Amino acid sequence: MGKTPGADPSGGNLLTRLTTVMKNSAGGASAKQQAAAVSMSDAGSSDFFIRMALGMLHDSKEAARREPLKAAIRAATAALEASSYETPITIFKPFQIACESGSPELTTIAIDCLGKLFSYNYWGKVAAGYNPTAKDMETGAAAEPRRHTHVQEDQQDDDGDNEGTQGMISFVIETICNGFTGESTDERVQLQIIKALQAALTTTDPAYALHGAILLKAIRTTYNIFLLSKSHDVQIVAQGTVTQMVQNVFGRIPKSPQAGGSASAANISTVAVSKASTLGSATHELGSQAPSSTPDIVISSQSGKLEGTKIRANFFSRVQDRRCELQALKDAFKVLRTLCVLSMKPIPSPEGTMDLRSQPVRSKLLSLHLISAVLSSHTYVFAASSVALNSPKSGHPEGQAITFMEAAKEFLIVSLSRNATSVIPPVFEVSMEIFGKLLLHFRNQLKREVSVFFTEIVIPILDSKKSIPWYQRFLLLACLQRIFGENALDGGRMLVEIYLNYDCDVEASAKENIWERLIAALSKITSQRSDPSVAMPSTPVLSSSYVSVTPGSAPALTTSNLLALSRDQVRDLYSTTGDTREIKRRGLELLCSGILRPLMQWCQSRAKKQSQAGADETERKPGDDDNDTVHKADSEGLRLLASDDANPSRASAVDDPAAFQNLKNRKQLMLEGIKRFNQKPKKGVQLLLDSGCIPSRTPRDIARFLLDTEGLSKAMIGEFLGEGEEENIAIMHAFVDEMDFVGHGFVDALRHFLQSFRLPGEAQKIDRFMLKFAERYLKGNPKAFSSADTAYVLAYSVIMLNTDQHNAQVKRRMTKEDFLKNNRGIDEGKDLPAEFLGAIFDEIQSNEIVMKDEAKAKDGAKAEKSNALGLPVEVDALLFGKPKRRDGPPDISKTTESMALKTEAIFTSILRSKSTVQKSTRKEADGANAAAAQARERIVTAFFSASHYEHVRPMFQLVWMSLLTAISTPLQETEDLSTISVALDGFRSAAYIACIFDMELESKAFISTLGKFTILNNIQEMRAKNFEAIKTLLDIAFQQGNSLGESWKVVVQCISQLEKLQIVGALGEDGPRARGASERSTIKRDQGARQSNRPTLLDEVAAEASSQSMTLSVDRIFTASAKLSGAAIVHFVRALCEMSWEEISSSKDREHPRMYCLQRLVEISYYNMKRIRVEWSNIWAILGQHFNQVGSSPNTTVAFFAVDKLRQLAIKFLELEELPNFKFQKDFLRPFEEIIRSNPDVKIKDMCLACIQQMVQAKSRSLKSGWKTLFGALLRPSRETNEPLVVQAFEIIKSIYKTSFEGILANAAYPEFVGCVVEFCKNAKFGKISLHAIELLRQSIGRVAELLGKGERHVLLNSVAMASTPTQRPDAAFATPSQTAPRPALSDEDASVKFWMPVLFGLQDVIMASELEVRTRALQYLFETLKLHGSTFSRDFWALLAKGVLFPIFDDLKHSGTTSLANSKFASKEEMLVWLSTTLIQALRQLVELFGTHFESLRFMLDGMLEILTTCLTHENEALSRIGSTCLQQLVEHNAQRFEKQEWTKVVELFERLSQDTTPYFLFFDMAQIPGADSQAQQSPLIDPASLDPELAFLKAPLGPPPDKREFQRLIGKCVLHLLVMQTLDETLLAGQSDTVFRSLSAEHMFRLTDCFDHSFRFARAFNKYTSLRTAIYRMGYMKQMPNLLKQETQSVTAYIRCLAKVSLDRSPETSMLREKTEKRLIPLCLDILSQFNSLDGDAKRRNINSWKPVVVIILNALMDLSDDPFSRHIKAFYPGIVNLLLNDITPELRVVLHSLLMRTGVVLSIIEEEEAYQPRSLASGDGTAANTDSAAAASATSAADDGADPMQQADGDDEARQ
C-alpha cells in the first residue's frame, strides 16, 4: 500500500478515504460486464508486476539464503516466459514462500504483489477452476502455527458456501492472512496485508468474489490488525478498511428496483413482502442446483431453436444473478452475526471497564460501530427476504422465506441488550445509537423487542437515582434527544406509534404504557429539586470519550484517540450522584427538543399534506400500486413502515383515531379495574365485567382473565379464588382447569400451580386449592397415583415441608426420615416409593417453592452494598484499595448486569414463545383452528403505522400536566438563558399542540402559566428570563392566535402591562409622545418616590420593554388580526375590551386615565372592517357594547375619546356599501344611542349630536339601516330638560326631513322618523317645539301621500320591500344577484303598514300623552288623514288601526268611572275630567263620523263602537252620558239603511243589555228581613210581590235582603241611567220625519225593542204599586221623600204606545199580521191606562194626573188614528173611559183630542154626518191635527218627566198620608 492515510489522528482522512472507496465500489453491480471487457493488455500489466516482484525477491538479501525461494522464483519466471497459465501454483509458489519466511522485507514484497494482482483480477482469470492440492500448499518453510479465530468457528457452519472461491483465490487469501502473526508483525507488513485484503474484497468480478469462511477470514485478519497493532496509523487504516469491507459485503446486495433507490428498509419491505413467497421459492430452488444442472426449457414455437437459445441464455443469466444475490445475502448475514458475537464478548476485569484503550473495549466499540454503520447505510438489506435465511433455529416453517431482520434480530437484539446497560460511556452511546436506528427503521418488525427495551432498560435507567450511574442517565437523555429530535418528522411519528402500539394496546400491561411512563420519568427528572446535602462532582462532566471527533463521521477508535480516564473521572462515571442542574437540563432538552418539537413538526407536516392532498395515504384503495406508496414515503421523508413484512400473518391495520381512542379508554378502564381488584377483588371483578374487559360472566372467562392478565396482585387472586362462596369456587375450578400438568413432575406441577397466585393463609382455603390441584394433576397424569386423595395429601405435605424448610421462625426442621414417616400409607394404605419422596424432599430443601417476584427480592437482599459514592465494590477497591462491606443493596455493576441479563432473558423468551406459537400455528393449520391461530399471531405482532396527526391529541391530553410541570419548573428555578430558551421552546410546541386540537383547558393552562412568568405586575423583580417569556407569549399569540380562545386575555394583559412599563421608561424623555403623555405625567406623580429608589433597574427594564423587537412583536399581533379566524378575532376583541375597561376603571380617578387598549381596539377595527359581514357583526357586538360602556363613563376624557373614535369609525364604516336587507349600519351606530341614553353629561350628549349631524351631512347617501339607529339616538334628547340640546336634536331632524326624506322612506326608516318626531310632540316642557313637531308630522303625511300617489309608487314600495325583507342566510350579503332569490314587491296593504301605520300610531300616541293644544291638533290630523286616505286602506289594515289606534283612545274611558287612578295615566281627577270633556268627546264624535264615512270598510268595527258608546252612555259623567246617547242615536240613524240583519241584531242586543243592566232590581228586597218588620206587618200586612205583575219573572223568585245605605246610594244612579237608555231608545226609534230607523227594523227587532219599553213600564208600575216597600225605604232613611218610579213608568209606556201605534197605522200589506199582533198589545194597555187615569183623585194626586195626562192624549190620538174597521170594533170599549175623562180637569190638548174622538165616534156610529164632524174642530183649533196633538202630548210627557232631577222623588204628596 502506498501512502498511509494516518497522519490525522482525528480520523478525518479516514472518513475521506472511506467515502472515496465506497464511491468507487458503487459500480459492483456491473462487475460481469467489466470482467468481460478486460483486455490482454491487462494481463500484460499483471505479468509486469509479477516479474517486477520476482526480481525484487531475487535481489533481496534475505532470498540469497533461501534456496527453495530461489528455485520457486526460477520456476515462476520460466512459466511466465512460456506464457503458461495452466499451473498458477508455479507462479504463486515464490510469493507463498516469501510470506511464510518471516522476513518483513520478503513478506512485504510478496503481499504487495498479490494485492496488485487482485486489483487486476489476475487470480480470477488465470486460476478459474484450479484447486491446489495439499502437496501444492507445502512449501517446506517453517511457518508459524495458524491462529485459532472466530472464522474457524464459522467454517463449521459454512454449508458449502465457498464454492467457486475455495480454489486458488482461497489459497492466496489464506497465505496473505497468515502473514499477520500478532502484535510483533512488522508495521509495513500489516499495511500491505490490509491493502491486499481490501483489493481482494473489492474485486470487480462477482464470480470470483470472496464468500463464506474465507471472507470472514479476511475481515477477521483486518479486525485483528486493528486491535493488536500498536501503530496509530495502522489502526486508522485498519479501522477504515474493515469498515469498507463490511460495507462492501452489504453493498453486494442490490437494491430492489421497486424501491426507487431508497435506502429505507421500510420502503423495501413494503414491496418485498408481496414478492416474498415467489422470490423465496425461486432462490431456494436456485440454491440447491448447480448451473450445469439447470433443466432445459421447452419452446413451442415455429422458430424453436433460435428462441430457445435466447431464452436459455436469459435464464442462465438470471440464475447466475440470483445465485450471486443469494450468496451475498448469506455473506452479509454471517458478517453481521460475527459482529454481534464480537460485540457480546464480556470485558474480563474491572480494569478493562475503566481503560477505554484496552483491546476488549476497542473490539466492542468497533463491532458496535460497524453494526451501526450497516444499519445506517444498508437498511434496505434488512427487508430483503429469502428461504436461505431460514434456519431450523429460527422457528419458522421450513421453506418459508423470512426477512434479513427476522434472521438477524436474534443476535442483534441480544447484543444490544448486553451493551445498552454498559457503564462504559462510548459503548453505551453507540448502543443507544443502534437502538435509535432500529427504532427509526425497523420498529414495525421489532414491536415486542422495542417494548422490552423501553420497559426494562430506558425507563428504569431514567427512573433510578440510587442504583444507576448518574453519567449513564445523563448519556441516555442525550441519546434519546438525538433519536427523537434529530429526525424531527420521524421522531414525531415514532412517538405517536409508540403511543398507538403500546399505550393503546389493550393486551399490554400498565408497565407497557411507554409514552405515559417516559413523560412521567422525564417530568420527574426535570422538576426534581436539588439536594443541598449531595456534593457536586469536583470534575467537569465528561463531554466525550474521544480526544477528537469529526462531526458526522465515526470516531477513530485508536489508542491515541481514546481518552485515558483519571481516577476522579472513573469515580464520577460510576457515581450515582452528579450535577442535578445538568441532568435536569438534559431532561428539559429531551422533552422540549426531542419530544414536543417533533410532535409539533409532525402535526404541521401531516396537517399540511392532508389539506393539500385532501386525504391521507391510509385512505388509499387496496388496489393502489406499491410503487406509488414507496414514492410517497420517500418524498415525504416519513419513512413509512410496512406492517406486513415477510410474515404473511402480520396484521395490517388502519390507524383510525377514534378506534384508538376507544382502545385507550378501554385500557384505562382495564387498569382501573386491576387497581380496584388489587384493593377489593369483588368490586374489581364487577367493574371489569361492567366495562367489558372480561368478555362474559362465565367462570371460564373470569378465570382466564385472572390467569393471563398482568398487574393483578397474586395475593388478591388467591384471596378471591379461596372464598367459600359458590361463584368463587366455580371460578377457582375454572382457573385450575386452564393449567396443563401433562408430563410434569409432581413438584414442578405444584411449583407452576403456585406461581399463578399466592396461597392464602387460611387452612380451609388451602384445602380447596389442594383438592382441585390434585384432581387436575391426576387428570393430566392418570398413572402418577392411584387416586386423587394421594395427590391431595402429598400436595398438602409438600406445602408443609416447604414452610418447614425455609421459614426462619422454625427452629427444629424436618428431616428426610420425618418426611417419609409423615407420608406413610397415603396411597390408599400403601407407601409411595421412598426414592420418589426422597427426591421431593431434596428438591424442596434445595429449591424453595417461592413466587418469582419474592425470589428476586430475596436475591436483592443478599447482594452487596455500594459505598457512599455509589461505586461498584471492585472499582472502589481498585481506586482506593479499601475492602467494602457486603451487607447492603446491590452495587452498580450488579444492577446493570442484572438488568442486561433480565432483558436478554425476556428477549430469549420472546423468541421461544414466537417459535412455540408458530409451531402451534402449523399444527393447528391442518385442523379447524387454523384461522384462530393465525388471528392470535396477528394480534400479537400487529404494528400500527401512524398517518393521522389527530393521535397527538389524546397523547397530549394524557401527559399535559406532567409536561407543564416539567417545562415550567426551570422558569422558576434558573436564570440561565439557554435553559430558559429551551423551556420556552417547549411552551411554544405545547401551546401549538394544545391549540391545533382546540384543547381549551390545556391551552389555557400553558398560556396562563407562561403569562405568570412575565411578572409584569412586579417590575422590581423582572429579569431577562421574564422578557424572554414575554417574547414567547407574544410569539405564541402571533402564530397560534386562531386557537387561543379565552387565553387571549392573558396575552392582552401582558401587552397592556408592557405598554405601562414603556410609559415608565419614557418618564425621563423630553419629547412627549402623542399617545401616553398625560399618562406619564400621572404615573410620574404616583411613582416618583419608588422610581427614585431603583432608577437603574427601572431604566433597564423599561429600555428592554421599549426595544424595537418588543414593539414589533406587539404591533404584528394587531396588524395580523385581520388574518385571524372569525372565532379567534371575537375572542381577541373580547379580551381587549375587558382589558380596556380594567385600564379605565383602575385609572378613572386620574385626570388622564389609561386608554391604550381602547386605542388598539380602534386600530383593529380599522384592520378588520372589511371582513365578511357575519364576522364583523360578531366583532361589533362586543366592540359596540364596549363603546357603550366607555362612552357612558363618568370620566369626561374617556367619554370624549370614545365618542370621537366612534365617529371616526362610523365615517369609515359608512364608506362600505351596505346591501339591502341587512342591518350592519344599524348595529354599528347603536353606541351613539346608548351613550346619549346613559351618559348624564350634557357635553357628551352634545358631542354625540354633533357627530350625528356630521355623519348626516357627509354620508347621508350611504346611510341605509343606519337611519333607524340615528333616529333612535335623536329620540333621546326629546325627553331632556336642557333646551339647547332639545333644539339641536330637533333641528337635525328637520334637516334630515328636508334633505333625506326619500332616503328614509326607501330604507324603511319612516317608523323610526315618526317615533322620533312623536317624542318631540310629547315634550310638555317646550310647547313651541311640540307644536312644530306636530306640524312636521302632518307635513310628512302629505309627502308620503304625495310619493305614494305619484309614478314613483312602485319604485318606493320595491325599495322598502328590499330594505325590510328578513334575512334568510347569513352569507346572503355576499351572494351575487343570480344567487339571491327575487323578492316580491310590496302590495298596497304592505304600503299601508309600512307608511301609514307609523304615522297613525304616532298621532294616536300624541293624542294620548300630549298637552291639550297638541293633542287637539293630533286628533284633528288623525281623523283628517283617515277620512281623506281611508278609502285606500284594506279591511285588514282598518282592523289593525281599530285595534291599535282608534279604540285605544277610549281606553281611559273604562277607568274614568272609578274613584281610583291606579290604572289611569291621569295624575288627578281634574285632569281626567278635562280629558273626558274635551279630547274624548271630540274623538267620539269623530269616530262616529268616520264610521259613517267609511261604513263599508269599517262595518266590522260596529261591536267596538257599540262597546265604547255603551261605556259613554253608562258613565257617571252626565255630559259624557248625554254625548254617548247622542252619538249612539247618530250612529244608528245615519247608518240605519246600511245595517244588515246581523248588525241590527247587535244594536237590538245592545239596547236590551242596557235596559236589563240599568234596571234597578235592587229596589225590590225581602221586607221580612228589614229590622222591625214584625211590627210593621201588624200595622200594614205584607203583600206578595208576585201579585204586583205576573209578567215580571224576577218577582216570582225569592227576593234578597235589603242593601245597606251606602250601597243603596251607589246603586240609585241606575234609575237615572235607565231613564236615559229608555229616552235614547225612544229618540232613536221615533226621531225624524222620515222614520228611517223605524222603517229599517224588522218585525222581530221591533218587538224586541218595544219589549224593552214594556219591561221598563211594568217594573216601574210594580214598584209604584208596592206602597209598603216604598214606605219602608223611606222609613229606613234611604230617601228624604217616599220614592217612586212614576217618570220611568210614564216615559216607558209613552214610548211603548207610540211604537205600537206606529205599527198599527202602517197600512203596507206585509205588516197586516203585525197589526193584529200589535192591536192585541195596544188596546188592552190603553184601556188599562184610561181606567187607571179616571180612578185618580184629582185633588190628592194632582201631580200624578199631570204626569199621566200626556199619556192619555197619546192613547186617544192612537185610537183616533185607527182605521174605520178597528176603530168601530174598539170604540165601544173605550167609550166609557173617554166620557169619564170629562169629569177631570181637561187641558186644551186633551180637549181637542176628545172633541175629535167623539166626532169620529159619531161619524163611525152614523150618529152624525162626516161634514158636521169636522166643522166644530176647525173652529175650535185652527190648524191642529191629531198628529200635532200627539207630538205635543209626547213633548209634554217628556217635559213632565224631566221636571224633577231625581226620578225617585216624583211621587204625589198624599201617598204617605193615604197609606
Side-chain angles (χ1 to χ4, degrees), residues 975-990:
E975 300 292 334
D976 181 47
L977 290 182
S978 60
T979 304
I980 296 296
S981 177
V982 174
L984 294 177
D985 185 63
F987 268 102
R988 287 190 184 92
S989 303

Side-chain angles (χ1 to χ4, degrees), residues 1636-1655:
T1636 303
V1637 177
F1638 184 82
R1639 296 185 182 279
S1640 300
L1641 286 169
S1642 63
E1644 177 188 359
H1645 294 151
M1646 174 60 72
F1647 281 112
R1648 288 175 64 180
L1649 291 176
T1650 56
D1651 285 344
C1652 294
F1653 292 128
D1654 181 42
H1655 181 271

Side-chain angles (χ1 to χ4, degrees), residues 1587-1759:
S1587 62
L1588 297 175
D1589 192 337
E1591 298 295 331
L1592 295 176
F1594 78 95
L1595 294 177
K1596 299 177 181 178
L1599 299 176
D1604 56 19
K1605 186 174 182 180
R1606 179 178 298 178
E1607 182 69 13
F1608 187 88
Q1609 296 297 331
R1610 187 182 67 82
L1611 295 175
I1612 199 67
K1614 278 192 173 185
C1615 301
V1616 180
L1617 292 178
H1618 189 74
L1619 283 176
L1620 182 59
V1621 170
M1622 291 298 103
Q1623 180 181 352
T1624 304
L1625 179 58
D1626 181 23
E1627 294 175 352
T1628 302
L1629 288 176
L1630 303 176
Q1633 298 296 329
S1634 58
D1635 295 335
T1636 303
V1637 177
F1638 184 82
R1639 296 185 182 279
S1640 300
L1641 286 169
S1642 63
E1644 177 188 359
H1645 294 151
M1646 174 60 72
F1647 281 112
R1648 288 175 64 180
L1649 291 176
T1650 56
D1651 285 344
C1652 294
F1653 292 128
D1654 181 42
H1655 181 271
S1656 177
F1657 161 67
R1658 292 179 179 276
F1659 181 88
R1661 185 175 63 178
F1663 181 76
N1664 291 335
K1665 287 182 180 180
Y1666 205 169
T1667 307
S1668 58
L1669 177 62
R1670 294 163 57 205
T1671 305
I1673 293 174
Y1674 172 72
R1675 290 179 177 176
M1676 290 169 65
Y1678 288 178
M1679 301 291 292
K1680 296 180 180 179
Q1681 296 180 5
M1682 183 179 295
N1684 65 43
L1685 297 178
L1686 180 60
K1687 185 189 296 187
Q1688 178 180 333
E1689 182 180 3
T1690 56
Q1691 185 173 337
S1692 299
V1693 76
T1694 301
Y1696 187 34
I1697 294 172
R1698 293 177 64 195
C1699 291
L1700 293 177
K1702 235 176 202 340
V1703 175
S1704 300
L1705 296 176
D1706 190 359
R1707 303 303 180 185
S1708 58
E1710 59 270 10
T1711 60
S1712 58
M1713 296 182 64
L1714 294 178
R1715 289 196 297 272
E1716 296 179 3
K1717 185 177 180 180
T1718 304
E1719 288 180 3
K1720 291 180 181 180
R1721 290 188 176 191
L1722 180 61
I1723 301 304
L1725 177 61
C1726 293
L1727 291 173
D1728 185 35
I1729 293 175
L1730 282 176
S1731 175
Q1732 178 184 351
F1733 182 78
N1734 289 328
S1735 63
L1736 292 175
D1737 186 357
D1739 295 331
K1741 299 184 179 180
R1742 178 61 58 190
R1743 296 183 62 187
N1744 286 358
I1745 293 174
N1746 292 335
S1747 298
W1748 281 101
K1749 280 182 180 180
V1751 180
V1752 173
V1753 172
I1754 291 174
I1755 292 173
L1756 296 180
N1757 282 326
L1759 184 61

Side-chain angles (χ1 to χ4, degrees), residues 765-1025:
K765 295 181 179 180
I766 297 175
D767 184 70
R768 284 192 289 270
F769 276 113
M770 294 299 105
L771 284 172
K772 183 59 183 175
F773 167 75
E775 174 196 341
R776 183 63 179 168
Y777 181 79
L778 199 63
K779 185 176 181 179
N781 304 276
K783 297 181 180 181
F785 302 105
S786 58
S787 68
D789 291 336
T790 305
Y792 162 69
V793 175
L794 183 59
Y796 219 112
S797 179
V798 171
I799 295 296
M800 299 297 294
L801 175 63
N802 188 74
T803 304
D804 176 84
Q805 294 296 314
H806 299 283
N807 193 332
Q809 297 180 357
V810 177
K811 297 182 178 180
R812 183 183 178 279
R813 303 192 183 280
M814 187 186 305
T815 63
K816 182 181 294 187
E817 291 74 14
D818 295 335
F819 181 70
L820 295 176
K821 181 179 179 181
N822 292 338
N823 289 283
R824 288 177 182 173
I826 63 174
D827 190 14
E828 296 185 352
K830 301 178 183 178
D831 292 341
L832 292 174
E835 297 80 4
F836 174 72
L837 293 177
I840 292 177
F841 181 87
D842 293 339
E843 183 176 355
I844 296 299
Q845 187 180 38
S846 60
N847 187 10
E848 179 187 5
I849 299 178
V850 64
M851 301 186 70
K852 295 180 180 179
D853 296 338
E854 296 178 356
K856 294 177 184 178
K858 290 184 178 181
D859 293 341
K862 297 177 182 178
E864 297 177 343
K865 181 180 180 181
S866 62
N867 53 63
L869 294 177
L871 301 180
V873 175
E874 310 90 59
V875 176
D876 188 79
L878 182 66
L879 292 175
F880 305 104
K882 299 178 181 179
K884 297 295 178 180
R885 293 182 300 173
R886 298 179 174 270
D887 56 353
D891 58 44
I892 294 173
S893 296
K894 291 187 178 296
T895 301
T896 55
E897 182 180 356
S898 63
M899 185 183 296
L901 293 176
K902 180 181 178 182
T903 307
E904 183 177 350
I906 295 174
F907 285 142
T908 304
S909 175
I910 291 175
L911 294 174
R912 289 177 180 174
S913 64
K914 181 177 181 180
S915 177
T916 304
V917 170
Q918 289 174 345
K919 290 178 181 179
S920 63
T921 304
R922 291 197 297 270
K923 291 179 181 178
E924 295 174 349
D926 299 330
N929 295 328
Q934 292 179 0
R936 286 198 301 271
E937 173 67 8
R938 282 195 297 271
I939 291 174
V940 172
T941 59
F943 188 91
F944 295 90
S945 297
S947 59
H948 293 81
Y949 71 95
E950 290 83 356
H951 295 301
V952 179
R953 177 188 179 95
M955 291 175 62
F956 192 77
Q957 287 178 327
L958 191 65
V959 299
W960 71 270
M961 286 188 285
S962 299
L963 290 173
L964 180 60
T965 303
I967 64 179
S968 61
T969 301
L971 295 179
Q972 296 175 336
E973 298 179 351
T974 184
E975 300 292 334
D976 181 47
L977 290 182
S978 60
T979 304
I980 296 296
S981 177
V982 174
L984 294 177
D985 185 63
F987 268 102
R988 287 190 184 92
S989 303
Y992 173 83
I993 295 173
C995 290
I996 195 177
F997 295 111
D998 295 327
M999 293 184 279
E1000 184 178 355
L1001 176 62
E1002 292 81 354
S1003 173
K1004 186 182 296 184
F1006 280 93
I1007 299 299
S1008 60
T1009 303
L1010 188 58
K1012 291 178 182 177
F1013 286 122
T1014 61
I1015 63 170
L1016 282 166
N1017 55 348
N1018 188 1
I1019 301 176
Q1020 306 296 333
E1021 300 297 329
M1022 290 196 68
R1023 300 293 183 268
K1025 67 177 182 180

Side-chain angles (χ1 to χ4, degrees), residues 336 339-340 343 364-376 379 382 405 411-417 419-420 426-443 446 450 453 479 482-483 494:
L336 182 64
L339 293 176
C340 291
S343 67
K364 185 180 289 290
L365 287 175
L366 180 59
S367 59
L368 290 175
H369 275 291
L370 291 175
I371 295 172
S372 176
V374 168
L375 290 173
S376 297
T379 53
F382 291 83
M405 176 55 75
F411 307 98
L412 193 60
I413 295 300
V414 174
S415 169
L416 187 62
S417 65
N419 293 290
V427 175
F428 182 78
E429 284 183 303
V430 71
S431 300
M432 292 305 301
E433 181 181 348
I434 293 173
F435 171 70
K437 292 173 181 178
L438 292 176
L439 188 64
L440 177 64
H441 301 297
F442 308 107
R443 58 186 179 275
L446 302 173
V450 169
F453 198 87
C479 294
R482 288 195 295 269
I483 291 173
M494 279 191 287

Side-chain angles (χ1 to χ4, degrees), residues 1475-1614:
W1475 162 265
L1476 295 176
S1477 59
T1478 55
T1479 306
L1480 188 66
I1481 292 176
Q1482 294 178 14
L1484 188 58
R1485 289 173 175 169
Q1486 294 278 9
L1487 182 62
V1488 173
E1489 185 178 350
L1490 177 65
F1491 185 82
T1493 304
H1494 301 290
F1495 176 79
E1496 293 301 330
S1497 298
L1498 303 180
R1499 186 188 295 271
F1500 69 92
M1501 289 174 49
L1502 182 61
D1503 291 337
M1505 295 193 63
L1506 293 178
E1507 182 181 358
I1508 294 173
L1509 291 172
T1510 300
T1511 305
C1512 291
L1513 192 60
T1514 58
H1515 201 275
E1516 63 180 7
N1517 187 300
E1518 183 177 358
L1520 191 58
S1521 299
R1522 297 290 179 184
I1523 293 299
S1525 174
T1526 303
C1527 291
L1528 178 60
Q1529 180 182 351
Q1530 181 182 356
L1531 175 68
V1532 176
E1533 287 181 2
H1534 291 176
N1535 303 287
Q1537 295 179 344
R1538 293 181 284 191
F1539 281 161
E1540 296 179 355
K1541 181 178 180 180
Q1542 63 271 20
E1543 293 162 343
W1544 274 118
T1545 301
K1546 296 177 182 179
V1547 174
V1548 171
E1549 289 176 351
L1550 169 65
F1551 280 108
E1552 288 178 338
R1553 186 170 60 254
L1554 287 173
S1555 175
Q1556 187 70 18
D1557 293 345
T1558 57
T1559 300
Y1561 291 107
F1562 68 92
L1563 296 176
F1564 286 87
F1565 52 83
D1566 188 3
M1567 295 184 61
Q1569 299 185 34
I1570 301 175
D1574 295 339
S1575 59
Q1576 293 181 10
Q1578 294 177 2
Q1579 298 176 4
S1580 176
L1582 300 177
I1583 62 174
D1584 183 11
S1587 62
L1588 297 175
D1589 192 337
E1591 298 295 331
L1592 295 176
F1594 78 95
L1595 294 177
K1596 299 177 181 178
L1599 299 176
D1604 56 19
K1605 186 174 182 180
R1606 179 178 298 178
E1607 182 69 13
F1608 187 88
Q1609 296 297 331
R1610 187 182 67 82
L1611 295 175
I1612 199 67
K1614 278 192 173 185

